[in-house]
Structure formats: C-alpha cells, structure tokens
Amino acid sequence: MTHSEGFATRAIHAGQDFDPTTGAVIPPLYLTSTFVQESMGKLRGGYEYGRSGNPTRTALETQMAALDGARHAITFSSGLAAEDGFLRAVLRPGDHVVIGNDVYGGSYRLISKIFAPWGITHSVVDLGDAAAVAAAITPNTRILWIETPSNPLMAITDIAALAAVAHERNVLVLVDNTFATPALQQPLALGADVVAYSTTKYIGGHSDVIGGAIVLNDDALAEAVKFQQFAVGAISAPLEAWLTSRGIKTLPLRMRQHSINAQAIAEFLETRPEVERVYYPGLESHPGHELAKAQMSGFGGMLSVALHGGAEAAIAFAESTELFQLAESLGGVESLMNYPALMTHASVAGTELAVPDNVVRLSVGVEDVADLLADVERGLERMNARLAR
Ligand SMILES: *Cc1c(COP(=O)(O)O)cnc(C)c1O
C-alpha cells in the first residue's frame, strides 16, 4: 500500500492486510494486555505491553496516516486525549497558544482550564483575520490552533494563508479536521504541521466508539507525542481501534452522502420564514463558500441554523424533530440535533466562544434525504405551534 493510491483504496486497504496465519480477510482484534517474549527483551513483532502498542492499534494508525498522506498517526482514547497528548508534548511553562474564537468548546476548555494553571497562556482570535492572527503571535507562541469548518458556526479558515503567517514566526499549525475529515480536506497538504481528530465522529462514523488521533509528518514530534501517550496511558484500546478501522472503510462513501443530504437540508432551511440564517459552507450565501470550494472537496454533513424567535424557538425546534434525535456528538450515520448553548457549548457560555442562543446545530445523517426534509419541515411546524401557545 502506498500513499499514491486513491483515497478510497487507502481507506479500505492501508494497514488492513489479511491475517497471514489464517487468511482471515479482516485483521484480527487482539484483545491482549501483554505479549510473550522470545527471550529476555527479544520481542515478537515489536510488541511488549498493551499500553505501548497493540497490532490492532498499529493497523488503525497505518490506515489513518495513509488517509492524510502522513508519516505518522497516533491514536488515543478520545479526541481530547489526543489533543492533550499533543499539547503536553509541545508546551512548557511560559508558552503561549493562539486559538480560534469558534473552536470546539472542549479544546478551549483544555487550554484555558487545564493548561493555564501550568503556566500556559492563550489568545483567542478571529481566524478569518490574518492580521489579527499575526498580531496575536508573541515570541512565546508555540501553536496556532485552527478548526475549519468551525463548530458550530461553520466558519471557514484559510489554512494555507495562516500556515504561512505562523511559519514565518516559527509557530506550529494544528488543524482540528474532525468536521471535514481527510475525505474532504487535507490540512498537511495545505501547509499545516499537525492534524487532530475526534475519531468519535465521522471517522468512526457509527456513534459506537470514542477515540482520537494526532496525524503528522515530523518524526521527532511524533516520537514526543508517542512518549507522552506511553507515559500517561490514553491509548486507543483494541476494540475501539478495530471498530474505528471498520468505520474508516466507508468514510469516502459516507462523506459524499452526508454532503448531499446536508446541502438539501441547508437549501430547504434557507427558504423558510422562521429561519434567520443558515450556516453551511455549501451555500452561496455563506461567506466562506468560495474558500471552502477551493480548500475542500465537499462541504460535509454539519450545518447550523439561527431561528427568529430566539432561544425559545431554537429549543422548541430542537425538541420537535423525530429522525433528528436530540443528542450531543455528531458524524454518525444517524441524524442528530444539538442546541449548543445548553449542550455541547455550555462550557463556553459567557466567554468569547459563546454561541448565539437562537442557534441549533444539525448533524445530517445518511438516511433518505426525503425523510430528513420531511422531518425538518414537521419540526418547524411543531415549533410554530408550540410558540403560538
Ligand atoms: C468531539 C470533538 C472533539 C473532542 O473529541 P472527543 O472524542 O469527544 O474527546 C474535538 N474537536 C471537535 C471538532 C469535536 O467535534
């Protein structure tokens, strides 16, 4: 398997060789904590103990590295564990991080609540403003933290432009690529140094696993992240790694259909009088549409909608659909509805990252689009009936 093969081929075959002892077409799930040594310190296949490595995890890491055309992928027990492992590998007391003003609330919480007491400072900036990003970088800045499309307002950031700004000042660029996935966006090819994933979302794709990954080319930094993981222990466990590998095989297919379905829902919502604004990069009305077209190969399955009628309308809508189920998380085959102000983004209420209280976020699944459209329409009608009471 080489990185020159097509994306779908890599998704199915990279790291996924058949088992040479039995011919099993699917690599086995190695539920084992330790590995018998041939003789003192002489390991079979390099495996010693499950915290340092497991063949099922290696299979996933080979597959994930191939998706981004990268040299290394390190998979963790969650997206936040991956982010934490990367941050700890890079940062020392006195260092500074520049972070977008519309990033995942948990990433902001990690930096502002967990790292701050250890002497790490941060600045929050609008990533759409390259001059503001340049101005926020200090001599102590080590990392520029980008998320595009952002969560939940789907802002599009110019990765190549900001990578140039950051690299001029010796700052590492991390892109949280959870929403787009490598199927739709390749941050390393655009100039980023590190890609972070919550594999819980589209990469796993079936809402049955929690996981994360750090993907990068730099050998020394990869070693440092691996050492952090080995020393701390937030590994992707074998069953989780196996489920994630299975999910990845249909990632290109799923992302294509998520994008088709989300485009239809976004266009429908834009026609409705109850709607103040639809946030979806596939819409021509979206300020990041042209940039998204250039930087991504599809617009993805996430969209947000701001409703006239404020928080009351947003909550009523979020509670009125049926196929779109009210739940945190995103990126599974089933459609989900989230009210950020009280759910995913409750932790950033009152900060610079607070989400408007009339916004509802939709994770558009891969059900029949006609059924999804009917569900959204019925949801708006039920919302109207509830508000009229
Ligand atoms: C969910 C999410 C995370 C955190 O991942 P977990 O797997 O929940 O720890 C980070 N970034 C984004 C964009 C996410 O959606």
Side-chain angles (χ1 to χ4, degrees):
M1 188 55 35
T2 68
H3 288 169
S4 65
E5 281 169 298
F7 186 86
T9 306
R10 280 178 273 152
I12 292 168
H13 290 289
Q16 304 295 307
D17 297 341
F18 70 88
D19 174 31
T21 57
T22 63
V25 72
I26 300 303
L29 165 53
Y30 288 93
L31 288 173
T32 188
S33 61
T34 192
F35 300 84
V36 175
Q37 306 191 1
E38 260 177 58
S39 58
M40 193 69 66
K42 184 148 188 268
L43 308 179
R44 299 162 200 264
Y47 296 103
E48 184 173 27
Y49 179 60
R51 177 159 31 73
S52 57
N54 174 295
T56 314
R57 196 161 98 226
T58 305
L60 170 62
E61 292 181 342
T62 304
Q63 188 184 22
M64 284 212 63
L67 295 183
D68 273 291
R71 290 172 57 77
H72 306 282
I74 304 135
T75 58
F76 287 79
S77 53
S78 73
L80 281 171
E83 295 180 7
D84 175 65
F86 164 73
L87 290 167
R88 263 185 298 101
V90 172
L91 297 173
R92 297 294 174 266
D95 287 346
H96 175 253
V97 179
V98 174
I99 185 164
N101 64 356
D102 185 22
V103 301
Y104 178 70
S107 306
Y108 175 73
R109 180 177 55 206
L110 184 60
I111 292 165
S112 65
K113 293 278 201 306
I114 303 298
F115 280 84
W118 297 92
I120 306 298
T121 56
H122 65 276
S123 302
V124 176
V125 295
D126 174 359
L127 296 175
D129 183 347
V133 173
I137 293 175
T138 74
N140 295 330
T141 305
R142 298 294 314 280
I143 297 167
L144 170 62
W145 191 283
I146 296 173
E147 188 179 323
T148 180
S150 71
N151 180 3
L153 298 181
M154 307 303 295
I156 304 297
T157 293
D158 190 334
I159 296 172
L162 290 193
V165 168
H167 289 160
E168 243 172 57
R169 294 160 180 82
N170 274 323
V171 171
L172 277 172
V173 175
L174 176 140
V175 174
D176 184 334
N177 203 29
T178 297
F179 273 31
T181 82
L184 303 183
Q185 178 168 271
Q186 296 267 304
L188 298 179
L190 292 164
D193 302 293
V194 179
V195 189
Y197 291 105
S198 169
T199 56
T200 310
K201 317 293 169 53
Y202 289 105
I203 301 249
H206 296 75
S207 307
D208 54 8
V209 65
I210 300 275
I214 292 293
V215 179
L216 73 172
N217 283 319
D218 186 276
D219 296 340
L221 186 52
E223 268 319 302
V225 174
K226 270 184 211 169
F227 180 73
Q228 285 291 332
Q229 181 185 54
F230 166 69
V232 175
I235 54 165
S236 174
L239 176 59
E240 277 72 5
W242 190 90
L243 285 167
T244 306
S245 275
R246 181 168 71 164
I248 286 172
K249 293 173 188 178
T250 55
L251 179 68
L253 285 172
R254 286 186 283 109
M255 293 316 291
R256 212 173 300 148
Q257 195 62 43
H258 281 298
S259 299
I260 290 169
N261 288 3
Q263 183 78 34
I265 304 266
E267 286 174 7
F268 170 71
L269 283 169
E270 247 193 347
T271 67
R272 292 290 301 211
E274 299 91 339
V275 169
E276 181 186 288
R277 182 168 168 193
V278 182
Y279 300 85
Y280 184 66
L283 294 175
E284 273 170 34
S285 61
H286 189 284
H289 178 64
E290 289 304 320
L291 178 57
K293 247 173 40 185
Q295 178 170 277
M296 305 171 73
S297 57
F299 302 110
M302 297 302 298
L303 64 91
S304 289
V305 56
L307 293 157
H308 295 301
E312 205 190 342
I315 291 169
F317 179 53
E319 289 179 345
S320 293
T321 51
E322 286 172 20
L323 281 176
F324 280 89
Q325 301 174 93
L326 185 65
E328 307 235 356
S329 201
L330 59 107
V333 290
E334 60 286 298
S335 294
L336 297 178
M337 186 80 86
N338 164 57
Y339 180 58
L342 292 181
M343 294 169 65
T344 48
H345 289 63
S347 71
V348 292
T351 73
E352 292 157 280
L353 282 82
V355 177
D357 68 359
N358 65 335
V359 167
V360 177
R361 188 189 75 186
L362 285 71
S363 174
V364 181
V366 295
E367 299 94 337
D368 287 293
V369 69
D371 294 329
L372 295 180
L373 285 164
D375 191 43
V376 166
E377 184 166 20
R378 193 169 48 224
L380 289 171
E381 277 153 19
R382 285 179 184 165
M383 172 191 88
N384 289 336
R386 194 160 130 185
L387 294 176
R389 259 187 254 136

